[in-house]
Amino acid sequence: DAKTTQPNSMESNEEEPVHLPCNHSTISGTDYIHWYRQLPSQGPEYVIHGLTSNVNNRMASLAIAEDRKSSTLILHRATLRDAAVYYCILRDANNNDMRFGAGTRLTVKP
Amino acid sequence: NAGVTQTPKFQVLKTGQSMTLQCAQDMNHEYMSWYRQDPGMGLRLIHYSVGAGITDQGEVPNGYNVSRSTTEDFPLRLLSAAPSQTSVYFCASSLRGEGAYEQYFGPGTRLTVT
């Protein structure tokens, strides 16, 4: 299974942009790049996903490197409610199961 | 839509006891899965199902059984609980197919085995 590598933790100031990196050098052609986040004492929630092109939605943007070996989740203006663990996951389009890593714990300072 | 529901929210078991964690979804999703999350760790896949009557093992299946008799329900059974199974258990569901679909997670069941 393709694996992802993320920093253990990151800090941001409120209302500033946050760039959360993810490396996935062994990604295969059928792997989608998914991002989920987990707020304290809650189940994970979907943030965004992409295959090859950059993606935007109301929560975030996803920038995917041209060789697909890395990606960056961008929160345009961090709020205190964005403090969470962010997981970058590769999901195979053929079998759909997801393997979580340890994720990045984002702290947002007021 | 209620989404993904899990019962119970909390459970304490003694070593050797058995129990079933319930999971249900009302979104007609074919794909359902169970994860466990130990303190300070990411989620690990226990079992998953791609449709009624079909189940498969994930990363950490030992000590757990699943069945999928309907599209809506995907119960997880602990046959003989052990302290190592103390964890938070999450159920999830999604559409299935060649596209990538978001998974919807339940609120979790916090299990303590003494």
Side-chain angles (χ1 to χ4, degrees):
Chain A
D1 294 326
K3 297 284 190 279
T4 62
T5 303
Q6 300 176 252
N8 289 337
S9 62
M10 291 184 66
E11 281 190 356
S12 171
N13 294 319
E14 199 175 8
E15 298 192 3
E16 289 185 356
V18 183
H19 290 235
L20 298 165
C22 181
N23 287 321
H24 28 79
S25 58
T26 59
I27 190 171
S28 75
T30 55
D31 283 333
Y32 283 78
I33 302 160
H34 281 244
W35 284 82
Y36 283 73
R37 72 180 186 181
Q38 188 174 22
L39 302 171
S41 300
Q42 294 189 25
E45 65 173 345
Y46 169 83
V47 177
I48 200 167
H49 79 271
L51 183 61
T52 57
S53 304
N54 295 344
V55 184
N56 300 301
N57 66 20
R58 62 176 177 79
M59 288 183 71
S61 296
L62 176 59
I64 301 173
E66 197 169 329
D67 63 5
R68 301 212 321 131
K69 294 187 177 182
S70 65
S71 61
T72 302
L73 178 71
I74 303 164
L75 307 179
H76 295 287
R77 287 183 69 212
T79 69
L80 296 178
R81 288 175 297 178
D82 291 322
V85 178
Y86 286 79
Y87 297 99
C88 168
I89 303 156
L90 301 182
R91 190 177 193 195
D92 189 323
N94 294 321
N95 66 28
N96 291 164
D97 66 335
M98 300 201 307
R99 307 297 171 104
F100 283 74
T104 296
R105 182 173 297 278
L106 176 65
T107 302
V108 180
K109 296 185 288 186
Chain B
N1 284 352
V4 179
T5 57
Q6 292 184 238
T7 56
K9 285 188 167 48
F10 301 94
Q11 183 71 47
V12 179
L13 290 178
K14 289 185 169 25
T15 297
Q17 287 184 317
S18 62
M19 79 160 294
T20 299
L21 279 62
Q22 302 291 344
C23 174
Q25 52 90 11
D26 60 359
M27 298 172 281
N28 202 31
H29 286 166
E30 289 180 281
Y31 183 87
M32 296 186 75
S33 54
W34 276 102
Y35 294 86
R36 61 177 286 174
Q37 185 172 36
D38 298 330
M41 309 270 292
L43 283 72
R44 290 185 292 169
L45 183 65
I46 304 172
H47 285 284
Y48 64 96
S49 168
V50 298
I54 306 169
T55 63
D56 208 344
Q57 296 181 348
E59 302 170 79
V60 288
N62 292 342
Y64 307 95
N65 274 358
V66 291
S67 59
R68 185 96 179 270
S69 56
T70 67
T71 299
E72 294 78 20
D73 301 297
F74 190 42
L76 178 72
R77 296 184 189 84
L78 282 71
L79 302 175
S80 178
S84 60
Q85 294 178 305
T86 293
S87 191
V88 181
Y89 291 84
F90 291 101
C91 179
S93 76
S94 75
L95 292 170
R96 177 177 170 257
E98 196 170 313
Y101 301 103
E102 67 176 281
Q103 285 209 48
Y104 294 82
F105 285 81
T109 293
R110 187 174 295 275
L111 175 68
T112 302
V113 183
T114 61

